[in-house]
Amino acid sequence: MSNQTPVIELKNVKKSFGPVEVLKDVNFTVRAGEVTALVGDNGAGKSTLIKGLAGIQSYDSGTVLFDAKPVELTSPRQSSELGIDVVYQDLALCDNLDIVHNMFLGREEVNAGVLDEGHMESKAASTLTSLSVKTVKSVRQKVAKLSGGQRQTVAIARAVLWNNKVVILDEPTAALGVAQTEQVLQLVRKLADAGKAVIIISHNLQDVFAVADRIFVLYLGKMIASLKTSETNQADVVGYITGTKSQEDGA
Amino acid sequence: MSEQNAIQTGNEGSFLEVGRDYFKRIKSGETGSLPALLGLVILATIFALANPIFLKPINFANLLTQAATVTTLAMGLTFVLLLGEIDLSAGVTAGLSAAFLAVSMASYGVPWPFAVVISLILGMFVGFMIGLLVAKVGIPSFVVTLAVFLAFQGLQLVVVGKGGLIGIEAPPILAIMNRPMPLSFGWILLLIILVIYVLTSLISRRQRSNSGQQNKPLSLVLFKAVIILVVGGALVSFLNLERGANPAVTSLKGVPYVVPIVILLLAGGTFVLNRTKFGRHVYAVGGNAEAARRAGIRVSRVRITVFMISSTFAGIAGILLASRQASVDAAAGRSIVLSAIAAAVVGGVSLFGGRGKLTDAVIGGFVIAVIDNGLGLIGLASGLNLAITGGVLLLAATADAITSRKSKTS
C-alpha cells in the first residue's frame, strides 16, 4: 500500500510571521492507509504546518500536491472539499447541540427545505456502529454531557462520516485517561485500516509508537527526520525532537 | 439498516418512559421555561386572590394585548440572544417603525397595507445595518445597538415632529389590538392549530420511519393534542364571554385579532429555528462560533440575518404599539426593550447564547405582563412595579448563569 502515490505531498513549503521563519523548506508526505505521526517540540512548526493543510493559514511558498495534482489551500472550505478534515485539540464541537447535530454541522441534510432528522440520525448511528463505538449510549445526547473520550470519538466519527481522504488529529489523546486513550488509538488505527490517510500530532511518543506507521520530526521549522516506526526507537526520536541528532539524507 | 443498532436515539421507550426522561432532564438542570411557567401560575394566583378583577374576561383580554407587544419584541430578541449577542435598539426600532407607519398614513396618505410594508422594511434595514457593523466591522453588539438606541430617539423626534403625537385612523390597524374577532373565528383558529400540529407531527414521524428510525410513542402526540384542545378551548370560551362595560351599547367578546398574529410569528419562528438549516446554524454559532466557522458555516451571514429578523419583529411590535395607543408619540417604544429582554431571559432564553426557544420568550412575556397588570390592579406605586420586574430579571439571569456554568463544567 505504501508504494502508491502519496495523497498529500508538500515540497519546500515555507511560512514566516514577520522576521520569524516558522517553516523552512519543509517536505512532508502522507499516504493512504497509513498513520503518519508529526512530532516536534513546542514551537517546532507543527501547528503552522497543519493550519496550512486545513486552509486556515496558507503557506508563503512551496508546492502542495494532492493526489499528485498541485492545489492551493486558501480557505477551510477548499480543504474540506478536497476531503481534508482536521479534528482539533479543542474539538470544535458545539456543546449545546446533540451528537447528530454536531456530526452534520455545516452539512445538514434537508428534504424539501426541512431538516431530515431521521436520515441524519440513522447515518450518524451507523457510522458510530461501524467504528465499533460502544461508549456512546444515545446519538441524541447533548455533547456537553459527554466525557473527553466520547467527545473525541464524536469528532473523529464526524471526519469518517464525511468520507474524508485525509484526517488530521491534533493531540487526540492529550486530555484523556488511560482507557479512553486506548479507545481513541484503536479508532485511529481503524481509520487507517479503512484506507484513509491519517495524520496524528502528538507529544506522547508512546501513543505515536503504538499507532503510527511513519514518524516525521520537525525541529525549529525544519523537517529533520522521516522514519518508519518499525525501523526506529523512542530514544532516537527523542534525539531528533531535542535536536541532538539529525538525519543526513532528510525527508 | 438499523436492526443491529446498539446505539440508541432517545426515541425508544413507552409513554411513561418519555415522561420519566422529561423529569430526569429537569432534575439535571435543563428546566427550559418550567420555572417561568410555575412563576406565572403563582403570580396569577396571588393577583387573583388580591383583586378579583384580575380574573375577569375584560382584564384577561387586556393582559393578552399588554403581553403581545413585549412578547413579539422578545421573540425577535430571542434570535439575537441565541447568538449570545444583544439588541438594545429593538424598542426604538419599534418606535421608529410606528412613527413611520403613522406619518406615512397621516401626512402622506399612504394606504395602510403599504404603510405596514414600509415600516417592516425599515425595521429589516435597521437590522441589516446593525448586523453589518457587528459581523463585518466587529463592533460588540452592545455598543452598536446602544448607539442606534440613542440616535433613533433623535430621529423619532424628528419624524414625529413638533406636535409630538400622531394619531392612527386606519380601522384595520386599530382593530389589531382593540377589536375582537367574530366568535366563530376563535374556534376556527383553534381547529387550524390542532390540525397543523397533528399533521406536522405525523409527517415528521413518517419521515423518520422512512429512514428506519424509531419514533416516540404515538400516544405522546395524542397527549399533546388533547392539551392543546383543552387549554385552547378554555381560553377561546373565556375570551368569547361578554366583557364590554356596557354590553347594551357596545358588545365586546371574542379573541382579539392580535392573538393569531402572535401565534403565527411564534409558529413560523419556531419552524425556522427547529426545522431549517439556518435555525440549526443559529444554535451552532451561539454555542461555539469557532466550531461553526470551522464546519463551513458562514457565521457573519447568520449574524446579519439574525439582526434583520430581530429588527423586523421589532417593526411588527411597533405596529402593535401604534394600534394599542391609537397614536404614536416621540418616546414610543423607548422603554419596552428592557421588558422584552427581561421577558426572554425570565422565560429561559440564555444570555450566553445557544440555549432557548421562542415559546420561552412568549411565556416570559406573559410573566412580565402579569406582573405589570397585577401590580397595577393591586394599586402599588409604579416605582415598585419596576423594582419587582428588575428583581425577577436578576433572579432569572442568576439561574441562567448557574445553569450555564453547570453545563460547561460537567
Side-chain angles (χ1 to χ4, degrees):
Chain A
M1 240 189 165
S2 55
N3 292 331
Q4 73 199 52
T5 47
V7 181
I8 292 180
E9 197 168 2
L10 300 185
K11 285 184 182 161
N12 304 324
V13 163
K14 281 185 195 176
K15 176 80 188 175
S16 25
F17 296 110
V20 186
E21 262 189 285
V22 185
L23 296 176
K24 305 168 187 164
D25 283 323
V26 166
N27 294 325
F28 184 47
T29 50
V30 183
R31 290 167 209 277
E34 286 190 354
V35 176
T36 308
L38 184 60
V39 298
D41 213 344
N42 291 338
K46 300 181 308 264
S47 300
T48 311
L49 188 68
I50 293 313
K51 278 181 184 160
L53 286 177
I56 293 173
Q57 204 174 70
S58 43
Y59 304 123
D60 293 340
S61 65
T63 333
V64 182
L65 298 178
F66 188 86
D67 278 339
K69 282 190 275 294
V71 289
E72 293 226 18
L73 301 171
T74 51
S75 79
R77 196 170 275 268
Q78 250 178 334
S79 295
S80 85
E81 268 164 23
L82 285 174
I84 302 173
D85 200 3
V86 188
V87 179
Y88 290 96
Q89 197 176 351
D90 46 13
L91 295 180
L93 296 176
C94 290
D95 275 355
N96 59 331
L97 300 178
D98 66 28
I99 295 178
V100 178
H101 295 169
N102 267 291
M103 284 176 71
F104 280 86
L105 194 63
R107 288 180 270 204
E108 294 83 0
E109 292 188 359
V110 288
N111 189 348
V114 179
L115 291 173
D116 193 344
E117 296 285 354
H119 199 222
M120 288 195 276
E121 197 173 292
S122 58
K123 264 191 163 175
S126 61
T127 304
L128 286 170
T129 312
S130 78
L131 292 170
S132 347
V133 173
K134 294 199 183 73
T135 52
V136 177
K137 251 193 355 227
S138 159
V139 287
R140 286 296 180 190
Q141 273 173 299
K142 291 255 161 70
V143 166
K145 303 242 180 268
L146 301 180
S147 71
Q150 289 172 325
R151 292 164 66 94
Q152 194 74 55
T153 304
V154 171
I156 294 173
R158 174 161 79 183
V160 176
L161 177 69
W162 293 105
N163 225 347
N164 287 304
K165 285 187 170 163
V166 182
V167 179
I168 303 172
L169 303 163
D170 186 5
E171 294 280 5
T173 57
L176 303 184
V178 179
Q180 290 181 339
T181 300
E182 185 56 31
Q183 277 161 13
V184 168
L185 289 181
Q186 274 177 16
L187 201 56
V188 170
R189 195 61 246 174
K190 229 174 159 103
L191 286 185
D193 293 344
K196 303 192 186 305
V198 181
I199 304 173
I200 180 170
I201 297 176
S202 184
H203 273 112
N204 187 331
L205 287 185
Q206 231 167 350
D207 291 356
V208 167
F209 273 84
V211 78
D213 297 295
R214 263 169 223 275
I215 303 173
F216 283 80
V217 186
L218 269 173
Y219 177 71
L220 297 179
K222 276 192 194 140
M223 193 65 87
I224 60 158
S226 144
L227 313 151
K228 274 196 168 167
T229 312
S230 52
E231 295 163 4
T232 183
N233 57 50
Q234 289 203 28
D236 275 351
V237 174
V238 169
Y240 288 122
I241 291 175
T242 52
T244 52
K245 217 170 138 61
S246 70
Q247 207 178 28
E248 268 75 48
D249 48 357
Chain B
M1 130 195 262
S2 64
E3 311 82 64
Q4 277 293 311
N5 257 349
I7 294 155
Q8 300 188 344
T9 57
N11 279 327
E12 297 78 6
S14 64
F15 185 74
L16 275 179
E17 278 170 306
V18 172
R20 215 173 298 144
D21 264 8
Y22 178 69
F23 285 111
K24 213 189 274 170
R25 274 213 308 276
I26 289 172
K27 263 196 203 150
S28 76
E30 285 180 54
T31 52
S33 52
L34 202 67
L37 216 49
L38 282 178
L40 196 59
V41 172
I42 293 169
L43 283 171
T45 316
I46 293 172
F47 290 137
L49 290 175
N51 190 342
I53 293 175
F54 184 78
L55 284 183
K56 290 258 167 71
I58 176 76
N59 190 54
F60 184 64
N62 215 345
L63 185 69
L64 276 186
T65 46
Q66 256 177 338
T69 317
V70 172
T71 296
T72 304
L73 210 55
M75 282 196 280
L77 279 165
T78 299
F79 282 86
V80 176
L81 291 174
L82 279 178
L83 290 188
E85 307 276 355
I86 198 145
D87 184 357
L88 295 175
S89 69
V92 288
T93 305
L96 195 65
S97 295
F100 265 79
L101 178 83
V103 168
S104 57
M105 289 192 299
S107 312
Y108 299 94
V110 178
W112 70 268
F114 293 108
V116 166
V117 171
I118 288 172
S119 50
L120 293 188
I121 289 175
L122 174 81
M124 203 184 291
F125 178 72
V126 170
F128 179 70
M129 294 310 293
I130 295 172
L132 219 54
L133 289 170
V134 172
K136 294 288 186 193
V137 185
I139 313 171
S141 56
F142 176 81
V143 176
V144 176
T145 57
L146 184 63
V148 173
F149 174 74
L150 293 174
F152 277 17
Q153 286 180 25
L155 191 56
Q156 197 176 337
L157 219 68
V158 174
V159 173
V160 173
K162 288 221 172 70
L165 194 79
I166 304 169
I168 303 270
E169 267 147 33
I173 300 284
L174 291 175
I176 299 172
M177 295 292 260
N178 302 311
R179 294 300 311 161
M181 301 192 292
L183 297 191
S184 59
F185 278 30
W187 295 110
I188 294 171
L189 179 67
L190 182 60
L191 192 71
I192 292 173
I193 292 171
L194 207 59
V195 167
I196 289 179
Y197 172 70
V198 172
L199 271 184
T200 49
S201 305
L202 291 183
I203 289 171
S204 85
R205 289 176 72 86
R206 188 131 130 233
Q207 203 188 38
R208 290 183 63 86
S209 53
N210 275 350
S211 42
Q213 286 307 98
Q214 235 175 331
N215 271 307
K216 292 199 167 136
L218 191 61
S219 49
L220 203 66
V221 178
L222 202 68
F223 177 67
K224 286 186 180 168
V226 168
I227 286 187
I228 293 175
L229 192 66
V230 170
V231 175
L235 291 179
V236 172
S237 5
F238 193 60
L239 285 168
N240 279 355
L241 295 175
E242 178 60 51
R243 60 174 179 268
N246 193 351
V249 186
T250 45
S251 172
L252 196 61
K253 52 186 174 183
V255 179
Y257 273 103
V258 69
V259 172
I261 295 177
V262 171
I263 290 177
L264 193 71
L265 291 174
L266 172 65
T270 302
F271 176 81
V272 167
L273 281 179
N274 290 348
R275 299 291 181 88
T276 68
K277 234 173 159 160
F278 170 75
R280 180 64 38 80
H281 293 176
V282 170
Y283 281 101
V285 172
N288 187 344
E290 182 57 19
R293 193 182 67 86
R294 286 178 184 177
I297 294 171
R298 293 176 205 274
V299 175
S300 7
R301 196 182 291 181
V302 172
R303 285 221 168 92
I304 294 171
T305 315
V306 159
F307 276 103
M308 286 170 76
I309 292 173
S310 166
S311 295
T312 310
F313 271 68
I316 298 170
I319 296 169
L320 300 186
L321 208 64
S323 166
R324 186 169 159 77
Q325 296 173 343
S327 67
V328 178
D329 60 47
R334 198 176 292 177
S335 60
I336 55 171
V337 67
L338 295 178
S339 303
I341 293 173
V345 176
V346 166
V349 179
S350 174
L351 283 165
F352 301 95
R355 190 156 45 80
K357 292 183 298 206
L358 290 191
T359 43
D360 298 347
V362 173
I363 293 168
F366 272 95
V367 172
I368 300 295
V370 163
I371 292 174
D372 204 23
N373 175 294
L375 289 180
L377 283 180
I378 291 178
L380 282 186
S382 65
L384 210 55
N385 178 352
L386 288 174
I388 290 179
T389 310
V392 170
L393 170 60
L394 211 52
L395 201 69
T398 309
D400 176 30
I402 291 171
T403 317
S404 296
R405 208 172 46 197
K406 217 158 76 180
S407 68
K408 273 218 178 76
T409 49
S410 72

